[in-house]
Amino acid sequence: MTRPRATPAARTENTQSTETAPGLTDTDRSTDGPHGLEDADQSATDGSAANQSATARSATVRSATDQSTQGPGDARPRTSHPAHHTAPTPSLAGLRHHLTTHLDPAARTWLDHALDEAAAHPGIHGPISVWELRLAEAGRRCGATHADAARVLILEAARAGTDALTRVYFQGTADERRAVLHALPHLVSGPGALPLVEDALRTNDTRLLSAAVGPYAARHLSAHAWRHAVLKCLFTGVPVDHVAGLPRRAAGDGELARMLGDYAAERTAAGRTVPEDLHRVLDLTESVTPAPVTDHPHGKES
């Protein structure tokens, strides 16, 4: 753990790899999930009119970008993009099973002890809690591959609420901040932790961005903020597969289609290539919004 800093967003400006620890591979991937989402500021234009408008914009974007990506005399039509096939977000029990089967005996013993400590002394105690020290040790004890999953389990065992997660996020290392973002859908049911997501989205740290656009953001980010998060992923090279709930939230979103068209036009005018992921998202904006599913038994992403 490190001392608090005044400007948390500025600490993660160095772009990192988008590779994900295997223990949290599914957590990082997009998922429609069983959660309905109602955005108060969602565009009022919907139905056939919105879809027709999005389709027209898509045709314009493709016409322009096809010219920039095809060679002379290459008149091959663009192919449609396959739908996203994403795995469900793993449960906390799934993370524990993964670590139990993949950690060596010494690491398993350390993790069991860390979880018991966190459960015995939950919440925030004094300048630093014992479980916060274990968060800092997780990378050394469990290895970088499994550290994210171990930290999420420690946060859950400590019953870390919004206040505790906020303290860990703003006082912790980039690895600890990423673990907090991964833990949000498991530990916070309401929008109270959105400032943490918003801070991460202001950075150019691609690993933080990948974690920030997970299931918690899919459920709680406003339509305006979510659209800009998608654009930020395209701008920084974070694969849109990491954007949780992308097919559901992008479906029929004419405003997102407009923003994508503007971004593509800017890059084309500057002689730069348009990310292939942009076309994938643009295709999704032309789809029909599916009916929300609201039968999740606990009302949380887990």
Side-chain angles (χ1 to χ4, degrees), residues 13 65 70 279:
E13 291 301 318
T65 56
Q70 295 176 354
H279 296 291

Side-chain angles (χ1 to χ4, degrees), residues 37 51 72 74 109 130 155 168 224 226 263 272:
L37 177 64
N51 289 333
D74 186 353
T109 299
V130 64
L155 289 169
V168 171
H224 176 77
W226 183 82
Y263 179 58
R272 305 179 67 185

Side-chain angles (χ1 to χ4, degrees), residues 7-169:
T7 55
R11 296 197 303 273
T12 54
E13 291 301 318
N14 291 327
T15 302
Q16 301 180 17
S17 169
T18 57
E19 293 182 0
T20 308
L24 278 172
T25 297
D26 291 339
T27 304
D28 280 347
R29 298 296 180 183
S30 66
T31 172
D32 279 333
H35 317 288
L37 177 64
E38 296 179 359
D39 293 316
D41 60 346
Q42 183 70 41
S43 173
T45 57
D46 55 9
S48 61
N51 289 333
Q52 291 170 5
S53 178
T55 301
R57 277 188 291 268
S58 300
T60 301
V61 173
R62 291 195 182 96
S63 176
T65 56
D66 282 348
Q67 296 175 16
S68 68
T69 57
Q70 295 176 354
D74 186 353
R76 292 174 297 173
R78 285 189 55 84
T79 58
S80 59
H81 296 88
H84 289 229
H85 297 288
T86 55
T89 302
S91 64
L92 293 170
L95 292 180
R96 183 65 184 271
H97 176 73
H98 175 86
L99 293 183
T100 299
T101 56
H102 287 81
L103 290 177
D104 61 44
R108 283 200 304 271
T109 299
W110 177 87
L111 179 61
D112 289 342
H113 179 68
L115 295 177
D116 289 343
E117 272 188 325
H121 304 284
I124 298 174
H125 302 282
I128 189 168
S129 301
V130 64
W131 55 266
E132 293 178 85
L133 296 174
R134 303 299 168 250
L135 291 178
E137 295 177 18
R140 176 166 54 89
R141 298 286 190 170
C142 298
T145 300
H146 305 298
D148 278 351
R151 290 187 177 106
V152 170
L153 291 176
I154 292 171
L155 289 169
E156 189 275 334
R159 300 193 287 280
T162 303
D163 289 344
L165 293 169
T166 299
R167 182 163 97 170
V168 171
Y169 181 89

Side-chain angles (χ1 to χ4, degrees), residues 187-253:
L187 302 181
V188 183
S189 59
L194 273 178
L196 309 185
V197 174
E198 293 164 349
D199 180 83
L201 290 175
R202 287 192 291 269
T203 76
N204 287 324
D205 183 331
T206 55
R207 297 182 72 192
L208 272 186
L209 290 172
S210 296
V213 292
Y216 187 81
R219 185 170 188 178
H220 297 294
L221 271 182
S222 69
H224 176 77
W226 183 82
R227 292 173 187 132
H228 281 278
V230 173
L231 265 293
K232 185 67 175 279
C233 288
L234 294 173
F235 179 76
T236 57
V238 172
V240 295
D241 283 341
H242 289 278
V243 181
L246 179 63
R248 172 172 53 81
R249 293 208 62 168
D253 191 337

